[in-house]
Amino acid sequence: YFINGPMPENINDALADTPTAKIYRMKTDGSNIQAVTDKKASYMYVVKDKIFYTTPSRKQVMLYCINIDGTKDKKLIAFEAGEFICYGEKGIAVGTNNQIHYIEYATLEKKVYDTGVISGMKISDNYIYYYDEGKSGLKRVGFNSQTAETLCQDVGQILYADDSVLYFSLLRVPQKVNTNTLEQTALSTSLYKNMVLNIKNQYIIS
């Protein structure tokens, strides 16, 4: 499955019925190329028998779900360009209109959580971790809860999160938070311009 070229910058070209930026599929030997969508896609995420993809309209960005054979193309949500979207193992979270909309891949069931303007998110097995624009505190909300927990008063780019630990960058210094005890630890005294976390080997790569 692939997107046939980049999304055109001009909105009229982006909405035009041409092969550019549409989703296609082909066999591994390069044969039997077939169009999957009739709309262009700026991003796609394939999960089992479904493709989740974003496409522009004249006013907003649209999130769609379509079967891998091109059937049952369904609009899930509209949001503004620049608003936050996050793909997890079991679902997608979109931060829009001071809310998080979480959509499960398997059922397409939607859950809505009241928040602020989302500036960052990560999804674990049972939680959505996030922080609000202009507000202190990294938070999480459970899929079966409407009450957010504040894990620490600091804010920074979330590097990794699971149900027991959160890693984030605070003023270019990597931090670790035990989400059960809320103990926060600075992992280095050095400043880093960019960071990638290898959680399996417990390394910060800069």
PDB file of all heavy atoms in Angstrom, residues 157 159 168-174 188 190-198 203-206:
ATOM      1  N   GLN A 157       8.167  17.784  25.457  1.00  0.00           N
ATOM      2  CA  GLN A 157       7.878  16.794  24.428  1.00  0.00           C
ATOM      3  C   GLN A 157       7.858  15.391  25.029  1.00  0.00           C
ATOM      4  O   GLN A 157       8.804  14.975  25.696  1.00  0.00           O
ATOM      5  CB  GLN A 157       8.919  16.852  23.318  1.00  0.00           C
ATOM      6  CG  GLN A 157       8.701  15.821  22.216  1.00  0.00           C
ATOM      7  CD  GLN A 157       9.866  15.741  21.255  1.00  0.00           C
ATOM      8  OE1 GLN A 157      10.862  16.438  21.420  1.00  0.00           O
ATOM      9  NE2 GLN A 157       9.768  14.882  20.269  1.00  0.00           N
ATOM     10  N   LEU A 159       8.449  11.668  24.930  1.00  0.00           N
ATOM     11  CA  LEU A 159       9.285  10.764  24.144  1.00  0.00           C
ATOM     12  C   LEU A 159       8.709   9.355  24.104  1.00  0.00           C
ATOM     13  O   LEU A 159       8.796   8.671  23.079  1.00  0.00           O
ATOM     14  CB  LEU A 159      10.697  10.719  24.743  1.00  0.00           C
ATOM     15  CG  LEU A 159      11.433  12.052  24.841  1.00  0.00           C
ATOM     16  CD1 LEU A 159      12.730  11.878  25.621  1.00  0.00           C
ATOM     17  CD2 LEU A 159      11.711  12.616  23.459  1.00  0.00           C
ATOM     18  N   PHE A 168       9.985  12.202  28.991  1.00  0.00           N
ATOM     19  CA  PHE A 168       9.755  13.439  28.253  1.00  0.00           C
ATOM     20  C   PHE A 168      10.986  14.326  28.343  1.00  0.00           C
ATOM     21  O   PHE A 168      11.907  14.081  29.147  1.00  0.00           O
ATOM     22  CB  PHE A 168       8.519  14.173  28.777  1.00  0.00           C
ATOM     23  CG  PHE A 168       8.656  14.800  30.139  1.00  0.00           C
ATOM     24  CD1 PHE A 168       8.900  16.157  30.271  1.00  0.00           C
ATOM     25  CD2 PHE A 168       8.541  14.036  31.291  1.00  0.00           C
ATOM     26  CE1 PHE A 168       9.029  16.741  31.522  1.00  0.00           C
ATOM     27  CE2 PHE A 168       8.663  14.611  32.545  1.00  0.00           C
ATOM     28  CZ  PHE A 168       8.906  15.968  32.667  1.00  0.00           C
ATOM     29  N   SER A 169      11.017  15.350  27.518  1.00  0.00           N
ATOM     30  CA  SER A 169      12.131  16.290  27.478  1.00  0.00           C
ATOM     31  C   SER A 169      11.725  17.591  28.150  1.00  0.00           C
ATOM     32  O   SER A 169      10.724  18.207  27.779  1.00  0.00           O
ATOM     33  CB  SER A 169      12.535  16.554  26.025  1.00  0.00           C
ATOM     34  OG  SER A 169      13.487  17.590  25.951  1.00  0.00           O
ATOM     35  N   LEU A 170      12.490  18.010  29.150  1.00  0.00           N
ATOM     36  CA  LEU A 170      12.238  19.257  29.860  1.00  0.00           C
ATOM     37  C   LEU A 170      13.432  20.185  29.664  1.00  0.00           C
ATOM     38  O   LEU A 170      14.522  19.914  30.177  1.00  0.00           O
ATOM     39  CB  LEU A 170      12.007  18.994  31.354  1.00  0.00           C
ATOM     40  CG  LEU A 170      11.883  20.237  32.255  1.00  0.00           C
ATOM     41  CD1 LEU A 170      10.656  21.061  31.866  1.00  0.00           C
ATOM     42  CD2 LEU A 170      11.814  19.827  33.718  1.00  0.00           C
ATOM     43  N   LEU A 171      13.253  21.255  28.907  1.00  0.00           N
ATOM     44  CA  LEU A 171      14.326  22.216  28.642  1.00  0.00           C
ATOM     45  C   LEU A 171      15.587  21.504  28.170  1.00  0.00           C
ATOM     46  O   LEU A 171      16.695  21.742  28.636  1.00  0.00           O
ATOM     47  CB  LEU A 171      14.614  23.050  29.898  1.00  0.00           C
ATOM     48  CG  LEU A 171      13.429  23.879  30.433  1.00  0.00           C
ATOM     49  CD1 LEU A 171      13.807  24.567  31.729  1.00  0.00           C
ATOM     50  CD2 LEU A 171      12.972  24.884  29.399  1.00  0.00           C
ATOM     51  N   ARG A 172      15.368  20.535  27.244  1.00  0.00           N
ATOM     52  CA  ARG A 172      16.444  19.777  26.580  1.00  0.00           C
ATOM     53  C   ARG A 172      17.118  18.756  27.497  1.00  0.00           C
ATOM     54  O   ARG A 172      18.179  18.221  27.164  1.00  0.00           O
ATOM     55  CB  ARG A 172      17.476  20.736  25.984  1.00  0.00           C
ATOM     56  CG  ARG A 172      16.909  21.630  24.876  1.00  0.00           C
ATOM     57  CD  ARG A 172      17.842  22.753  24.506  1.00  0.00           C
ATOM     58  NE  ARG A 172      19.148  22.264  24.080  1.00  0.00           N
ATOM     59  CZ  ARG A 172      20.189  23.070  23.867  1.00  0.00           C
ATOM     60  NH1 ARG A 172      20.066  24.381  24.059  1.00  0.00           N
ATOM     61  NH2 ARG A 172      21.350  22.575  23.486  1.00  0.00           N
ATOM     62  N   VAL A 173      16.507  18.452  28.639  1.00  0.00           N
ATOM     63  CA  VAL A 173      17.027  17.424  29.541  1.00  0.00           C
ATOM     64  C   VAL A 173      16.003  16.294  29.630  1.00  0.00           C
ATOM     65  O   VAL A 173      14.830  16.539  29.940  1.00  0.00           O
ATOM     66  CB  VAL A 173      17.296  17.983  30.952  1.00  0.00           C
ATOM     67  CG1 VAL A 173      17.735  16.862  31.899  1.00  0.00           C
ATOM     68  CG2 VAL A 173      18.351  19.070  30.896  1.00  0.00           C
ATOM     69  N   PRO A 174      16.388  15.033  29.353  1.00  0.00           N
ATOM     70  CA  PRO A 174      15.435  13.923  29.412  1.00  0.00           C
ATOM     71  C   PRO A 174      15.004  13.627  30.850  1.00  0.00           C
ATOM     72  O   PRO A 174      15.822  13.626  31.770  1.00  0.00           O
ATOM     73  CB  PRO A 174      16.218  12.745  28.813  1.00  0.00           C
ATOM     74  CG  PRO A 174      17.660  13.100  29.004  1.00  0.00           C
ATOM     75  CD  PRO A 174      17.732  14.592  28.921  1.00  0.00           C
ATOM     76  N   SER A 188      19.864  12.966  32.912  1.00  0.00           N
ATOM     77  CA  SER A 188      21.162  13.489  32.504  1.00  0.00           C
ATOM     78  C   SER A 188      21.300  14.911  33.011  1.00  0.00           C
ATOM     79  O   SER A 188      20.302  15.587  33.308  1.00  0.00           O
ATOM     80  CB  SER A 188      21.299  13.452  30.983  1.00  0.00           C
ATOM     81  OG  SER A 188      22.474  14.103  30.553  1.00  0.00           O
ATOM     82  N   SER A 190      23.275  16.855  31.048  1.00  0.00           N
ATOM     83  CA  SER A 190      23.623  17.487  29.774  1.00  0.00           C
ATOM     84  C   SER A 190      22.376  17.994  29.069  1.00  0.00           C
ATOM     85  O   SER A 190      21.255  17.524  29.315  1.00  0.00           O
ATOM     86  CB  SER A 190      24.353  16.485  28.873  1.00  0.00           C
ATOM     87  OG  SER A 190      25.541  16.014  29.485  1.00  0.00           O
ATOM     88  N   LEU A 191      22.568  18.954  28.172  1.00  0.00           N
ATOM     89  CA  LEU A 191      21.495  19.470  27.341  1.00  0.00           C
ATOM     90  C   LEU A 191      21.565  18.816  25.967  1.00  0.00           C
ATOM     91  O   LEU A 191      22.644  18.679  25.395  1.00  0.00           O
ATOM     92  CB  LEU A 191      21.597  20.987  27.189  1.00  0.00           C
ATOM     93  CG  LEU A 191      21.531  21.803  28.485  1.00  0.00           C
ATOM     94  CD1 LEU A 191      21.649  23.291  28.162  1.00  0.00           C
ATOM     95  CD2 LEU A 191      20.245  21.523  29.243  1.00  0.00           C
ATOM     96  N   TYR A 192      20.404  18.429  25.425  1.00  0.00           N
ATOM     97  CA  TYR A 192      20.355  17.739  24.143  1.00  0.00           C
ATOM     98  C   TYR A 192      19.483  18.533  23.180  1.00  0.00           C
ATOM     99  O   TYR A 192      18.399  18.985  23.535  1.00  0.00           O
ATOM    100  CB  TYR A 192      19.769  16.333  24.305  1.00  0.00           C
ATOM    101  CG  TYR A 192      20.610  15.426  25.167  1.00  0.00           C
ATOM    102  CD1 TYR A 192      20.409  15.368  26.548  1.00  0.00           C
ATOM    103  CD2 TYR A 192      21.601  14.628  24.619  1.00  0.00           C
ATOM    104  CE1 TYR A 192      21.176  14.538  27.347  1.00  0.00           C
ATOM    105  CE2 TYR A 192      22.369  13.787  25.410  1.00  0.00           C
ATOM    106  CZ  TYR A 192      22.151  13.753  26.771  1.00  0.00           C
ATOM    107  OH  TYR A 192      22.905  12.936  27.557  1.00  0.00           O
ATOM    108  N   LYS A 193      19.965  18.689  21.942  1.00  0.00           N
ATOM    109  CA  LYS A 193      19.186  19.392  20.928  1.00  0.00           C
ATOM    110  C   LYS A 193      18.046  18.530  20.426  1.00  0.00           C
ATOM    111  O   LYS A 193      16.920  18.991  20.255  1.00  0.00           O
ATOM    112  CB  LYS A 193      20.091  19.796  19.760  1.00  0.00           C
ATOM    113  CG  LYS A 193      19.388  20.641  18.702  1.00  0.00           C
ATOM    114  CD  LYS A 193      20.358  21.108  17.626  1.00  0.00           C
ATOM    115  CE  LYS A 193      19.652  21.979  16.609  1.00  0.00           C
ATOM    116  NZ  LYS A 193      20.573  22.453  15.541  1.00  0.00           N
ATOM    117  N   ASN A 194      18.321  17.236  20.163  1.00  0.00           N
ATOM    118  CA  ASN A 194      17.300  16.290  19.714  1.00  0.00           C
ATOM    119  C   ASN A 194      17.464  14.997  20.492  1.00  0.00           C
ATOM    120  O   ASN A 194      18.581  14.610  20.842  1.00  0.00           O
ATOM    121  CB  ASN A 194      17.423  16.000  18.214  1.00  0.00           C
ATOM    122  CG  ASN A 194      17.155  17.221  17.370  1.00  0.00           C
ATOM    123  OD1 ASN A 194      16.056  17.738  17.384  1.00  0.00           O
ATOM    124  ND2 ASN A 194      18.169  17.684  16.653  1.00  0.00           N
ATOM    125  N   MET A 195      16.342  14.306  20.732  1.00  0.00           N
ATOM    126  CA  MET A 195      16.389  13.066  21.489  1.00  0.00           C
ATOM    127  C   MET A 195      15.452  12.033  20.891  1.00  0.00           C
ATOM    128  O   MET A 195      14.346  12.358  20.448  1.00  0.00           O
ATOM    129  CB  MET A 195      15.976  13.303  22.948  1.00  0.00           C
ATOM    130  CG  MET A 195      17.049  13.912  23.813  1.00  0.00           C
ATOM    131  SD  MET A 195      16.454  14.268  25.478  1.00  0.00           S
ATOM    132  CE  MET A 195      15.600  15.807  25.193  1.00  0.00           C
ATOM    133  N   VAL A 196      15.913  10.785  20.866  1.00  0.00           N
ATOM    134  CA  VAL A 196      15.084   9.639  20.495  1.00  0.00           C
ATOM    135  C   VAL A 196      15.278   8.591  21.571  1.00  0.00           C
ATOM    136  O   VAL A 196      16.407   8.297  21.980  1.00  0.00           O
ATOM    137  CB  VAL A 196      15.473   9.066  19.118  1.00  0.00           C
ATOM    138  CG1 VAL A 196      14.640   7.822  18.816  1.00  0.00           C
ATOM    139  CG2 VAL A 196      15.266  10.108  18.032  1.00  0.00           C
ATOM    140  N   LEU A 197      14.194   8.020  22.057  1.00  0.00           N
ATOM    141  CA  LEU A 197      14.276   7.043  23.134  1.00  0.00           C
ATOM    142  C   LEU A 197      14.183   5.634  22.575  1.00  0.00           C
ATOM    143  O   LEU A 197      13.248   5.294  21.854  1.00  0.00           O
ATOM    144  CB  LEU A 197      13.134   7.261  24.128  1.00  0.00           C
ATOM    145  CG  LEU A 197      13.045   6.255  25.281  1.00  0.00           C
ATOM    146  CD1 LEU A 197      14.249   6.406  26.202  1.00  0.00           C
ATOM    147  CD2 LEU A 197      11.758   6.420  26.049  1.00  0.00           C
ATOM    148  N   ASN A 198      15.188   4.797  22.877  1.00  0.00           N
ATOM    149  CA  ASN A 198      15.141   3.365  22.593  1.00  0.00           C
ATOM    150  C   ASN A 198      14.716   2.677  23.872  1.00  0.00           C
ATOM    151  O   ASN A 198      15.536   2.372  24.730  1.00  0.00           O
ATOM    152  CB  ASN A 198      16.523   2.874  22.127  1.00  0.00           C
ATOM    153  CG  ASN A 198      16.525   1.405  21.753  1.00  0.00           C
ATOM    154  OD1 ASN A 198      15.748   0.606  22.268  1.00  0.00           O
ATOM    155  ND2 ASN A 198      17.416   1.038  20.847  1.00  0.00           N
ATOM    156  N   TYR A 203      17.933   3.406  26.214  1.00  0.00           N
ATOM    157  CA  TYR A 203      18.932   4.384  25.821  1.00  0.00           C
ATOM    158  C   TYR A 203      18.244   5.656  25.336  1.00  0.00           C
ATOM    159  O   TYR A 203      17.193   5.614  24.671  1.00  0.00           O
ATOM    160  CB  TYR A 203      19.822   3.866  24.698  1.00  0.00           C
ATOM    161  CG  TYR A 203      20.868   2.862  25.135  1.00  0.00           C
ATOM    162  CD1 TYR A 203      20.797   1.537  24.717  1.00  0.00           C
ATOM    163  CD2 TYR A 203      21.929   3.247  25.951  1.00  0.00           C
ATOM    164  CE1 TYR A 203      21.752   0.607  25.108  1.00  0.00           C
ATOM    165  CE2 TYR A 203      22.896   2.324  26.342  1.00  0.00           C
ATOM    166  CZ  TYR A 203      22.803   1.016  25.930  1.00  0.00           C
ATOM    167  OH  TYR A 203      23.743   0.103  26.322  1.00  0.00           O
ATOM    168  N   ILE A 204      18.842   6.790  25.659  1.00  0.00           N
ATOM    169  CA  ILE A 204      18.483   8.060  25.040  1.00  0.00           C
ATOM    170  C   ILE A 204      19.496   8.331  23.949  1.00  0.00           C
ATOM    171  O   ILE A 204      20.711   8.372  24.199  1.00  0.00           O
ATOM    172  CB  ILE A 204      18.501   9.222  26.050  1.00  0.00           C
ATOM    173  CG1 ILE A 204      17.478   9.001  27.158  1.00  0.00           C
ATOM    174  CG2 ILE A 204      18.248  10.554  25.333  1.00  0.00           C
ATOM    175  CD1 ILE A 204      16.053   9.148  26.721  1.00  0.00           C
ATOM    176  N   ILE A 205      19.051   8.490  22.709  1.00  0.00           N
ATOM    177  CA  ILE A 205      19.953   8.725  21.577  1.00  0.00           C
ATOM    178  C   ILE A 205      19.823  10.180  21.172  1.00  0.00           C
ATOM    179  O   ILE A 205      18.722  10.664  20.905  1.00  0.00           O
ATOM    180  CB  ILE A 205      19.590   7.807  20.396  1.00  0.00           C
ATOM    181  CG1 ILE A 205      19.653   6.335  20.832  1.00  0.00           C
ATOM    182  CG2 ILE A 205      20.548   8.059  19.226  1.00  0.00           C
ATOM    183  CD1 ILE A 205      19.100   5.373  19.800  1.00  0.00           C
ATOM    184  N   SER A 206      20.934  10.880  21.117  1.00  0.00           N
ATOM    185  CA  SER A 206      20.903  12.300  20.784  1.00  0.00           C
ATOM    186  C   SER A 206      21.752  12.546  19.545  1.00  0.00           C
ATOM    187  O   SER A 206      22.810  11.928  19.376  1.00  0.00           O
ATOM    188  CB  SER A 206      21.441  13.134  21.949  1.00  0.00           C
ATOM    189  OG  SER A 206      21.559  14.481  21.573  1.00  0.00           O
TER     190      SER A 206
END
